[in-house]
Amino acid sequence: MLRSYSQDRWQDGTGEAVALADAATGETVASIPRTGPSAALMLEHARTVGGPALRALTFAERAGVLKALAKRLSGHIDEFVALSTRTGATRRDTTVDVDGGIGTLAVYASKGTRELPASHVLLDGPVEPLGKGGTFAGRHILIPRLGAAVQVNAFNFPVWGMLEKFAPAFLAGMPSVVKPASQTAYLTALVVERIVESGLLPPGSLSLLCAGPGDLLDSLTSQDTLSFTGSSSTAYALRTHPVVAGRAVPFNAEADSLNCSILGPDVTVDSPDFSLYVAQIVTEMTVKAGQKCTAIRRAFVPAPLAGAVADAVYAGLASVVVGNPASPQTGMGPLASLAQRDEVGKLAEAARIVFGDPGHVEVHEADDSRGAFLSPVLLRSHDPSAAALHEIEAFGPVSTVIPYTGLDSVIELAARGDGSLAGSIVTGSGDVAASLIAGLAPWHGRLLVLNSSDAAESTGHGVAMPQLLHGGPGRAGGGAELGGMRALEHYLQRTAIQGHPDLLATLDPS
Ligand code: NAP
């Protein structure tokens, strides 16, 4: 039975419990209570104990704690990997979640050490003269908010999802209150257990709610923050919650996304860039069984190449072994649940399935009647304007090849996704790249231009890097995470200070 970490001790929940199944075997891994300890008390402790303890440290000192923590967690990777398998993750999938999460912590530690001052206040921009006589001026400062940083996470990244929010909140000086998604909360809980045991964090700086949200949202104040990752319907419910909206609680959402990858019209079937495009589609469909918010759902290709692309992706998918995530031969594990099959059915009304049977898959070293196994499903559209292609997100190993006829048309089609986290452009032409960047950027949080000149070092379409923005407009939630030190701004109040320039100069810690 999972417990919550509240008021610096592990506490039991109450009431009915829900069994959490191993994604591959259906066996119960853990149970989670529907009702946790009081979220109001959890938040109060974070605000009154965690906040002051964190704000007593300088930005640089907090970076030092994160560095020690990243090192400590690295020593537990094998244990995390073993439990991660039960979420359906292969070792490759776990690299993105566990290794990627600890790596994100390490990047924030090192950037924080290099870029943040040994002070309690950040200066933002230059002194702005406001009077002709030189006796009156203004400048902005950034200072930690006094509340708790509440983080509600999705099931697909139980470790990375927590650490990518915790790291900037901690650096900024705010205590974190983490609510993992129930489905995979046991892995988040194990990592929190190891963090707590390390004794590295100041008291009150991390709490974990393993239960339903209870009174979490009702207990928020205007000095707290709320960060959310998950579906757009939950994002909407949180954004419009009377306390969140009524008290103007700073809110950030990372939601659904119908990401695209565009093959440039300059690429020919026999070129290395064609192979890069195809390999990337196969990778994005199969890593984490396509349960990645950044995965490619729409593969836009010049109309004359649609058949060749579909054939090449088919060949790539045909060699992917689906099955037991613990087996080294397995290329793709099970999904967290088979609910996504319905979405595939709706897509199949708008496009033809060219690879995979949503109702059947041969599995390796596993029992397909017990695990949530789904074949990769590739669709090919002959009607690029069909609404379903641009509106239905099958959160699994599902992608559609969609033909286009010109750059203006593909820019318009991409925009029908109504805002995405990540897009990629595979082209060797600087002109094509420039036109597509100009057309796509207003709809995207991140764009990758891939070709044989950068492929060897490319981190790939789907990987959110701590140095760069993760977030996107519209359907993607309208939020902004990561992006290096920019992520701290969610947890900091920006205040304009006006006064004599000599006074403003004293704000500068250097
Ligand atoms: P979800 O159902 O929206 O749940 C997300 C989180 O919200 C879970 O922790 C859930 O808790 C919690 N939650 C649900 N209702 C709540 C409420 N009324 N108050 C407070 N918390 C509440 O989404 P999901 O099924 O876990 O995740 C899949 C979706 O997330 C996909 O659509 C995917 O596109 C999106 N996603 C986006 C990103 C991104 O970075 N943009 C990353 C990953 C996933 P319980 O689990 O306990 O219900």
Side-chain angles (χ1 to χ4, degrees), residues 3 21-22 60 118 158 170 241 261 268 285 298-301 316 320 393 415 418 444-445 449 464 488:
R3 292 186 297 167
D22 181 309
F170 187 90
H241 185 282
S261 181
T268 53
M285 286 179 72
R298 299 176 298 158
F300 291 116
V301 301
V320 174
E393 184 199 37
D418 197 23
H444 285 81
V449 181
L488 272 62

Side-chain angles (χ1 to χ4, degrees), residues 41-381:
L41 292 178
M42 188 182 278
L43 287 169
E44 193 52 23
H45 184 77
R47 290 182 200 117
T48 55
V49 176
L54 281 169
R55 294 193 298 274
L57 302 175
T58 64
F59 286 96
E61 286 169 333
R62 295 194 285 265
V65 175
L66 285 191
K67 188 172 181 189
L69 184 63
K71 199 167 164 212
R72 184 68 70 98
L73 291 181
S74 300
H76 293 286
I77 280 192
D78 289 347
E79 183 188 15
F80 299 152
V81 167
L83 192 59
S84 174
T85 306
R86 309 207 69 182
T87 69
T90 62
R91 184 63 186 93
R92 176 175 72 155
D93 301 338
T94 298
T95 305
V96 192
D97 185 35
V98 172
D99 308 60
I102 297 171
T104 298
L105 202 60
V107 168
Y108 268 100
S110 115
K111 282 183 81 67
T113 306
R114 278 183 281 121
E115 296 173 26
L116 294 175
S119 71
H120 300 90
V121 172
L122 290 183
L123 299 178
D124 181 38
V127 173
E128 299 283 354
L130 297 172
K132 283 188 181 149
T135 62
F136 191 61
R139 91 179 307 176
H140 295 94
I141 63 165
L142 293 163
I143 195 152
R145 299 184 195 279
L146 302 178
V150 175
Q151 300 152 20
V152 178
N153 291 322
F155 73 84
N156 55 340
F157 283 107
V159 180
W160 178 83
M162 168 172 68
L163 295 179
E164 62 104 16
K165 294 183 176 73
F166 165 78
F170 187 90
L171 261 189
M174 282 191 82
S176 292
V177 169
V178 178
K179 192 215 130 6
S182 296
Q183 180 73 41
T184 52
Y186 51 85
L187 181 52
T188 313
L190 176 64
V191 177
V192 171
E193 215 175 308
R194 296 294 168 263
I195 292 175
V196 169
E197 281 168 12
S198 76
L200 290 165
L201 298 191
S205 52
L206 178 61
S207 307
L208 177 74
L209 180 61
C210 277
D215 54 349
L216 186 61
L217 298 183
D218 292 323
S219 310
L220 292 174
T221 69
S222 59
Q223 284 289 317
D224 299 322
T225 61
L226 178 59
S227 306
F228 170 76
T229 300
S231 61
S232 47
S233 55
T234 309
Y236 180 79
L238 267 51
R239 193 192 303 278
T240 56
H241 185 282
V243 173
V244 177
R247 292 186 182 161
V249 177
F251 177 65
N252 191 79
E254 302 289 328
D256 312 343
S257 192
L258 283 146
N259 311 289
C260 70
S261 181
I262 300 176
L263 182 65
D266 55 300
V267 179
T268 53
V269 175
D270 51 1
S271 72
D273 290 351
F274 183 88
S275 307
L276 286 173
Y277 182 81
V278 169
Q280 184 172 260
I281 302 279
V282 174
T283 300
E284 290 299 318
M285 286 179 72
T286 55
V287 173
K288 291 192 71 73
Q291 297 169 117
K292 246 161 70 248
C293 50
T294 50
I296 298 167
R297 306 290 171 209
R298 299 176 298 158
F300 291 116
V301 301
L305 295 190
V309 169
D311 290 349
V313 176
Y314 183 109
L317 293 175
S319 64
V320 174
V321 175
V322 179
N324 177 359
S327 165
Q329 281 82 42
T330 296
M332 192 181 99
L335 277 74
S337 84
L338 285 178
Q340 304 306 325
R341 269 189 195 157
D342 297 345
E343 260 43 56
V344 179
K346 286 180 218 156
L347 276 175
E349 289 170 19
R352 188 167 57 86
I353 294 179
V354 292
F355 182 95
D357 175 352
H360 175 72
V361 60
E362 292 295 327
V363 293
H364 166 71
E365 289 183 9
D367 178 352
D368 68 343
S369 66
R370 298 181 67 88
F373 293 99
L374 178 68
S375 167
V377 176
L378 181 71
L379 301 103
R380 182 176 167 191
S381 151

